[in-house]
mmCIF file of all heavy atoms in Angstrom:
data_model
loop_
_atom_site.group_PDB
_atom_site.id
_atom_site.type_symbol
_atom_site.label_atom_id
_atom_site.label_comp_id
_atom_site.label_asym_id
_atom_site.label_seq_id
_atom_site.Cartn_x
_atom_site.Cartn_y
_atom_site.Cartn_z
ATOM 1 N N LYS A 14 190.383 128.814 30.351
ATOM 2 C CA LYS A 14 191.219 128.299 31.397
ATOM 3 C C LYS A 14 191.439 126.829 31.170
ATOM 4 O O LYS A 14 190.551 126.121 30.635
ATOM 5 C CB LYS A 14 190.685 128.523 32.794
ATOM 6 C CG LYS A 14 190.650 130.033 33.210
ATOM 7 C CD LYS A 14 190.158 130.130 34.687
ATOM 8 C CE LYS A 14 190.083 131.479 35.224
ATOM 9 N NZ LYS A 14 190.593 132.590 34.493
ATOM 10 N N THR A 15 192.566 126.295 31.603
ATOM 11 C CA THR A 15 192.901 124.868 31.464
ATOM 12 C C THR A 15 191.749 124.062 32.037
ATOM 13 O O THR A 15 191.340 124.335 33.201
ATOM 14 C CB THR A 15 194.209 124.624 32.111
ATOM 15 O OG1 THR A 15 195.258 125.304 31.485
ATOM 16 C CG2 THR A 15 194.501 123.139 32.065
ATOM 17 N N GLY A 16 191.352 123.063 31.288
ATOM 18 C CA GLY A 16 190.328 122.242 31.735
ATOM 19 C C GLY A 16 188.869 122.594 31.348
ATOM 20 O O GLY A 16 187.950 121.767 31.370
ATOM 21 N N GLN A 17 188.710 123.798 30.898
ATOM 22 C CA GLN A 17 187.413 124.253 30.354
ATOM 23 C C GLN A 17 187.095 123.645 29.059
ATOM 24 O O GLN A 17 187.952 123.136 28.377
ATOM 25 C CB GLN A 17 187.231 125.801 30.356
ATOM 26 C CG GLN A 17 187.241 126.437 31.673
ATOM 27 C CD GLN A 17 187.023 127.916 31.561
ATOM 28 O OE1 GLN A 17 187.618 128.614 30.681
ATOM 29 N NE2 GLN A 17 186.190 128.486 32.402
ATOM 30 N N SER A 18 185.785 123.599 28.667
ATOM 31 C CA SER A 18 185.411 123.087 27.358
ATOM 32 C C SER A 18 184.792 124.245 26.512
ATOM 33 O O SER A 18 184.390 125.198 27.100
ATOM 34 C CB SER A 18 184.433 121.962 27.599
ATOM 35 O OG SER A 18 183.174 122.408 28.199
ATOM 36 N N MET A 19 184.699 123.942 25.230
ATOM 37 C CA MET A 19 184.148 124.850 24.352
ATOM 38 C C MET A 19 183.853 124.235 22.977
ATOM 39 O O MET A 19 184.500 123.166 22.732
ATOM 40 C CB MET A 19 184.964 126.201 24.176
ATOM 41 C CG MET A 19 186.127 126.070 23.195
ATOM 42 S SD MET A 19 186.720 127.640 22.670
ATOM 43 C CE MET A 19 185.334 128.272 21.757
ATOM 44 N N THR A 20 182.964 124.800 22.201
ATOM 45 C CA THR A 20 182.663 124.399 20.882
ATOM 46 C C THR A 20 182.872 125.536 19.895
ATOM 47 O O THR A 20 182.348 126.595 20.127
ATOM 48 C CB THR A 20 181.234 123.816 20.806
ATOM 49 O OG1 THR A 20 181.087 122.748 21.723
ATOM 50 C CG2 THR A 20 180.970 123.328 19.340
ATOM 51 N N LEU A 21 183.601 125.216 18.820
ATOM 52 C CA LEU A 21 183.694 126.151 17.712
ATOM 53 C C LEU A 21 182.804 125.780 16.611
ATOM 54 O O LEU A 21 182.725 124.543 16.238
ATOM 55 C CB LEU A 21 185.159 126.217 17.148
ATOM 56 C CG LEU A 21 186.239 126.822 17.937
ATOM 57 C CD1 LEU A 21 186.537 126.183 19.256
ATOM 58 C CD2 LEU A 21 187.448 126.968 17.107
ATOM 59 N N LEU A 22 182.071 126.743 16.085
ATOM 60 C CA LEU A 22 181.052 126.411 15.006
ATOM 61 C C LEU A 22 181.558 126.992 13.673
ATOM 62 O O LEU A 22 182.034 128.006 13.557
ATOM 63 C CB LEU A 22 179.726 127.171 15.321
ATOM 64 C CG LEU A 22 178.596 127.085 14.268
ATOM 65 C CD1 LEU A 22 178.236 125.660 13.995
ATOM 66 C CD2 LEU A 22 177.441 127.900 14.633
ATOM 67 N N CYS A 23 181.394 126.127 12.687
ATOM 68 C CA CYS A 23 181.681 126.487 11.330
ATOM 69 C C CYS A 23 180.373 126.275 10.465
ATOM 70 O O CYS A 23 179.750 125.229 10.611
ATOM 71 C CB CYS A 23 182.829 125.616 10.771
ATOM 72 S SG CYS A 23 183.229 125.902 8.972
ATOM 73 N N ALA A 24 180.157 127.165 9.550
ATOM 74 C CA ALA A 24 179.042 127.041 8.681
ATOM 75 C C ALA A 24 179.359 127.517 7.301
ATOM 76 O O ALA A 24 180.173 128.422 7.126
ATOM 77 C CB ALA A 24 177.799 127.959 9.158
ATOM 78 N N GLN A 25 178.836 126.761 6.310
ATOM 79 C CA GLN A 25 179.133 127.124 4.908
ATOM 80 C C GLN A 25 177.747 127.041 4.181
ATOM 81 O O GLN A 25 176.985 126.235 4.407
ATOM 82 C CB GLN A 25 180.218 126.171 4.230
ATOM 83 C CG GLN A 25 179.879 124.653 4.463
ATOM 84 C CD GLN A 25 179.220 124.005 3.206
ATOM 85 O OE1 GLN A 25 179.054 124.632 2.196
ATOM 86 N NE2 GLN A 25 178.943 122.722 3.384
ATOM 87 N N ASP A 26 177.656 127.965 3.164
ATOM 88 C CA ASP A 26 176.464 128.042 2.359
ATOM 89 C C ASP A 26 176.699 127.695 0.907
ATOM 90 O O ASP A 26 175.930 128.159 0.003
ATOM 91 C CB ASP A 26 175.848 129.429 2.514
ATOM 92 C CG ASP A 26 176.770 130.576 2.064
ATOM 93 O OD1 ASP A 26 177.840 130.248 1.467
ATOM 94 O OD2 ASP A 26 176.391 131.726 2.114
ATOM 95 N N MET A 27 177.792 126.909 0.656
ATOM 96 C CA MET A 27 178.052 126.607 -0.752
ATOM 97 C C MET A 27 177.705 125.155 -1.122
ATOM 98 O O MET A 27 178.062 124.642 -2.192
ATOM 99 C CB MET A 27 179.638 126.798 -0.964
ATOM 100 C CG MET A 27 180.042 128.226 -0.855
ATOM 101 S SD MET A 27 181.840 128.417 -0.885
ATOM 102 C CE MET A 27 182.242 128.026 0.761
ATOM 103 N N ASN A 28 176.978 124.508 -0.232
ATOM 104 C CA ASN A 28 176.529 123.098 -0.423
ATOM 105 C C ASN A 28 177.708 122.182 -0.624
ATOM 106 O O ASN A 28 177.548 121.134 -1.344
ATOM 107 C CB ASN A 28 175.586 123.064 -1.623
ATOM 108 C CG ASN A 28 174.695 121.798 -1.549
ATOM 109 O OD1 ASN A 28 174.316 121.405 -0.479
ATOM 110 N ND2 ASN A 28 174.372 121.315 -2.666
#
Side-chain angles (χ1 to χ4, degrees):
Chain A
K14 290 187 179 352
T15 298
Q17 288 185 320
S18 64
M19 76 163 295
T20 300
L21 283 67
L22 172 63
C23 176
Q25 53 97 2
D26 61 3
M27 296 174 281
N28 203 34

